[in-house]
Amino acid sequence: MRNQLFGVSLFVDLLPPRLAFAARLLADMLVLLIAAQVIRAAFAQITTARFTVFLSLGWPKWIMAALLAAGMTMVVLSRLLEMAVNIRNQRP
C-alpha cells in the first residue's frame, strides 16, 4: 500500500514515527472498511441479479460480482497480513 497510495505515503512520511505508524494503521482500516462494503454490495448483486448479463461480456452478473467479492477478500487478507507485520515490527 505504501507504493500504491502515493498521496498517503507523501504525507505520512512527514510525520514523526509514532504518528506515521498510527496514520498507516488508519489508512489500512479505511481500506478494510471500503473492501468490506464492496464485498457486501457484491453479495447483494449476486442475490438480486441471477439472470441478467453484462452486455459487453455476455457473462451473468452474478459471476462478475462473485469475482469482485473474491478479489476484495484477497485485498482484505493482504491488508490484514501487512498490518500484522507492521504491528510486529513496531513493537520493541
Side-chain angles (χ1 to χ4, degrees), residues 15-35:
L15 296 172
R18 284 185 180 234
L19 287 176
F21 173 74
R24 283 192 186 95
L25 194 62
L26 177 64
D28 281 335
M29 296 298 264
L30 289 174
V31 169
L32 289 175
L33 180 66
I34 292 167

Side-chain angles (χ1 to χ4, degrees), residues 26 57 60 90:
L26 177 64
L57 296 175
Q90 184 69 19

Side-chain angles (χ1 to χ4, degrees), residues 75-87:
V75 168
V76 167
L77 292 176
S78 69
R79 288 291 92 213
L80 288 174
L81 288 173
E82 186 69 26
M83 286 171 63
V85 168
N86 287 340
I87 290 171

